[in-house]
C-alpha cells in the first residue's frame, strides 16, 4: 500500500496535505500548550534582535582592535571586547549629555508651537485657495468641515487612549527597562564567545557536510554584517548632513528634523520621503522659499548618498535589484508594518545567499 502511495504523486501529496491540515487543526485546539512558548519567544525576541544588530555592527571593530600591535603588546580578544564596550558607552554617554537634551528641547518647542504651525498652515492653504483660479469654483466647505471633524475625533481618541493606558505605559516602561538591562549582557557574551559558535556547530554536524554548512553560515554572517554596518553608516551620513544643511538654511528644529531623516533612511527608497515630510510641514510655516531650500538640501544629500555612499557601502554586499526591494517593502509593510520593512531587505539578502549557495553546490555535484 505504501509503495502504491509513493508511486502515485497525487495520492502522496494528498496524504501530505491531509497530515499538515490535521496538524494545524490539532494545534488550534491545544493552543494553551503553545501560549507559554509564544510568550517566551515574544519576550526574548526584541533583546536578541537588538543584541544581534549590535553584534554585527561592533564585531568588525573588535577584530580590528585585535590586530593592533604596539611593540610587543598585543590586544587579546577579551580586552578588545572591553575596549569596544567602553567606546560604545562613551558614545552613548556623549549622546545623552549633548544630543538628547537638545532633541528634547526642540521636541518641546515643536509641541508648544503646534497650534501656531497649524494656524500658519491653514492661513497658507486659504491664501492658496483664494489665489488659485482653477480651484475657486470648487466648494471646499464640506471637505474642510469633514477634515476638522476628523481631526477633533482623532484628538479625542488620542487623549482618551492616553488617559486609559496607564497600565500599558507602565508595562512598556518595564519591558524597556528589561531590554536595557539584558541587551548589554547578551551583547558582551556574543562579542566575547561568538567565535566559538561555528566550531561548536561544526562538531555537531555530520563530517561529510560540516565544512559546506559552516561556509554557508559564514557567508550569511558576512552578508548581515556588511548590510548592518553599511546601513548604520548611511543613516549617520544622511542624518548628519541633512541636519547641517537645515542649519545652514535656517530651518527651525534642524537637529530634530535631521535625526528623523537619518532614522527614516533605514527604510530603502521610501525612507527619504518619510524623512522630508515633517521638514516640509515646518518650512511651510516659514515661507514658500524655505520649502524650496529644504527640497534642495534633501536632494543634494540624497544624490551624494545614492551615488557614492549606498553603492560603495551597501550595494556591493546586497546586490538586490531596486524593483525587488520595492516589491519586498510593499509586501513586508502590509504584513508587519515598519518593522517588517526594516527587516525585509536583510532577510531577503540572507535567503538569496542560501539559494545561491545551494544552487552552486547543485551545479558542482552535477558536473562531477
Amino acid at each position: 500500500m505504501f509503495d502504491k502511495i509513493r508511486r502515485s504523486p497525487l495520492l502522496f501529496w494528498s496524504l501530505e496535505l491531509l497530515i499538515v491540515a490535521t496538524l494545524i487543526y490539532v494545534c488550534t485546539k491545544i493552543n494553551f500548550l503553545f501560549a507559554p512558548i509564544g510568550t517566551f519567544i515574544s519576550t526574548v525576541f526584541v533583546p536578541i534582535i537588538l543584541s544581534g544588530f549590535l553584534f554585527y555592527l561592533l564585531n568588525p571593530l573588535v577584530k580590528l582592535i585585535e590586530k593592533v600591535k604596539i611593540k610587543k603588546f598585543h590586544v587579546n580578544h577579551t580586552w578588545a571586547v572591553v575596549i569596544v564596550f567602553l567606546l560604545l558607552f562613551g558614545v552613548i554617554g556623549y549622546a545623552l549629555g549633548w544630543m538628547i537634551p537638545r532633541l528634547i528641547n526642540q521636541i518641546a518647542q515643536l509641541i508648544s508651537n503646534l497650534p501656531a504651525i497649524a494656524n500658519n498652515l491653514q492661513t497658507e492653504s486659504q491664501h492658496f485657495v483664494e489665489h488659485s483660479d482653477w480651484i475657486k469654483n470648487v466648494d471646499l466647505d464640506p471637505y474642510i468641515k469633514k477634515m476638522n471633524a476628523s481631526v477633533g475625533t482623532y484628538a479625542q481618541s488620542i487623549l482618551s487612549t492616553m488617559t486609559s493606558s496607564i497600565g500599558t505605559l507602565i508595562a512598556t516602561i518595564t519591558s524597556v527597562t528589561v531590554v536595557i538591562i539584558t541587551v548589554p549582557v547578551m551583547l558582551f557574551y556574543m562579542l566575547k564567545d561568538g567565535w566559538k559558535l561555528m566550531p561548536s556547530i561544526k562538531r555537531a554536524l555530520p563530517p561529510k557536510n560540516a565544512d559546506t554548512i559552516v561556509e554557508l553560515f559564514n557567508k550569511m554572517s558576512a552578508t548581515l554584517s556588511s548590510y548592518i554596518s553599511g546601513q548604520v553608516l548611511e543613516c549617520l551620513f544622511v542624518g548628519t548632513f541633512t541636519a547641517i544643511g537645515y542649519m545652514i538654511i535656517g530651518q527651525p528644529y534642524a537637529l530634530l528634523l535631521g535625526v528623523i531623516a537619518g532614522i527614516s533612511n533605514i527604510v530603502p527608497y521610501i525612507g527619504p520621503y518619510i524623512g522630508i515630510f515633517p521638514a516640509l510641514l515646518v518650512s511651510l510655516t516659514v515661507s514658500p522659499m524655505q520649502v524650496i531650500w529644504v527640497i534642495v538640501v534633501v536632494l543634494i544629500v540624497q544624490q551624494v548618498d545614492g551615488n557614492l555612499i549606498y553603492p560603495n557601502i551597501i550595494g556591493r554586499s546586497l546586490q538586490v535589484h531596486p524593483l525587488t526591494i520595492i516589491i519586498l517593502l510593499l509586501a513586508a509593510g502590509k504584513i508587519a508594518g515598519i518593522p517588517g520593512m526594516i527587516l525585509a531587505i536583510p532577510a531577503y539578502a540572507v535567503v538569496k545567499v542560501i539559494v545561491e549557495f545551494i544552487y552552486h553546490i547543485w551545479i558542482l555535484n552535477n558536473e562531477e
Side-chain angles (χ1 to χ4, degrees):
M1 179 179 178
F2 290 107
D3 292 335
K4 290 181 179 179
I5 292 175
R6 290 194 189 97
R7 284 195 296 268
S8 174
L10 179 61
L11 288 174
F12 176 78
W13 286 110
S14 298
L15 182 61
E16 289 287 316
L17 292 174
L18 182 61
I19 293 171
V20 171
T22 305
L23 285 174
I24 293 173
Y25 176 77
V26 171
C27 289
T28 58
K29 296 302 179 182
I30 56 173
N31 184 48
F32 63 92
L33 293 177
F34 298 98
I37 299 175
T39 303
F40 173 76
I41 293 174
S42 62
T43 302
V44 302
F45 179 76
V46 173
I48 288 177
I49 289 292
L50 289 176
S51 302
F53 174 83
L54 291 172
F55 169 78
Y56 281 112
L57 178 64
L58 299 174
N59 195 47
L61 184 58
V62 173
K63 293 180 179 179
L64 181 63
I65 294 175
E66 281 186 272
K67 296 178 181 178
V68 174
K69 291 183 180 180
I70 302 174
K71 294 183 179 179
K72 294 183 178 181
F73 177 74
H74 174 70
V75 181
N76 61 28
H77 183 75
T78 302
W79 277 108
V81 173
V82 172
I83 292 171
V84 167
F85 254 72
L86 292 175
L87 291 174
L88 177 63
F89 286 131
V91 171
I92 294 173
Y94 178 77
L96 291 175
W98 183 85
M99 182 178 289
I100 300 300
R102 287 167 173 79
L103 283 177
I104 292 174
N105 183 39
Q106 291 194 4
I107 292 171
Q109 290 180 9
L110 180 60
I111 292 173
S112 63
N113 291 332
L114 279 178
I117 292 174
N119 290 331
N120 287 336
L121 289 174
Q122 186 177 2
T123 303
E124 291 292 334
S125 61
Q126 188 68 31
H127 182 268
F128 173 74
V129 170
E130 291 174 354
H131 291 80
S132 298
D133 295 332
W134 61 273
I135 207 171
K136 281 182 179 179
N137 298 324
V138 180
D139 186 13
L140 296 177
D141 288 338
Y143 301 100
I144 294 173
K145 290 179 180 178
K146 186 177 180 180
M147 183 180 68
N148 290 335
S150 300
V151 170
T153 303
Y154 288 137
Q156 289 178 359
S157 63
I158 290 171
L159 288 174
S160 62
T161 302
M162 290 176 64
T163 54
S164 62
S165 300
I166 297 176
T168 305
L169 179 63
I170 294 173
T172 303
I173 292 174
T174 304
S175 300
V176 170
T177 304
V178 171
V179 169
I180 290 173
I181 294 172
T182 56
V183 166
V185 178
M186 296 175 68
L187 175 61
F188 178 81
Y189 284 107
M190 282 184 176
L191 290 172
K192 181 177 177 293
D193 300 328
W195 62 274
K196 300 177 182 178
L197 179 62
M198 286 304 166
S200 300
I201 292 175
K202 188 175 181 179
R203 286 194 298 270
L205 293 171
K208 181 181 178 181
N209 301 321
D211 292 333
T212 303
I213 296 175
V214 167
E215 183 184 354
L216 175 60
F217 278 124
N218 287 331
K219 286 189 176 183
M220 292 165 54
S221 180
T223 300
L224 281 175
S225 180
S226 299
Y227 178 79
I228 290 173
S229 57
Q231 193 70 54
V232 170
L233 288 174
E234 189 194 15
C235 291
L236 285 173
F237 170 83
V238 171
T240 301
F241 284 91
T242 302
I244 292 173
Y246 287 164
M247 290 177 186
I248 292 173
I249 65 174
Q251 173 77 349
Y253 320 111
L255 180 62
L256 175 61
L257 295 173
V259 170
I260 293 173
I263 294 174
S264 61
N265 203 75
I266 199 170
V267 181
Y269 296 101
I270 300 175
Y273 299 101
I274 300 173
I276 195 177
F277 182 72
L280 290 176
L281 288 180
V282 173
S283 63
L284 281 170
T285 65
V286 180
S287 68
M289 193 63 193
Q290 188 71 8
V291 176
I292 297 174
W293 281 117
V294 166
I295 295 173
V296 169
V297 168
V298 173
L299 282 176
I300 292 173
V301 173
Q302 290 298 326
Q303 284 297 313
V304 175
D305 174 58
N307 293 298
L308 293 177
I309 307 299
Y310 190 89
N312 291 307
I313 294 180
I314 298 179
R316 292 177 181 176
S317 61
L318 203 58
Q319 295 179 348
V320 180
H321 195 275
L323 182 59
T324 304
I325 292 178
I326 292 172
I327 294 172
L328 284 171
L329 292 177
L330 290 174
K334 184 67 175 178
I335 295 170
I338 296 296
M341 297 174 75
I342 294 172
L343 297 175
I345 307 304
Y348 174 81
V350 170
V351 172
K352 183 183 176 185
V353 168
I354 295 172
V355 173
E356 289 178 347
F357 188 84
I358 293 173
Y359 178 74
H360 179 67
I361 296 298
W362 181 73
I363 291 294
L364 290 179
N365 292 334
N366 286 344
E367 289 178 353
E368 293 177 358

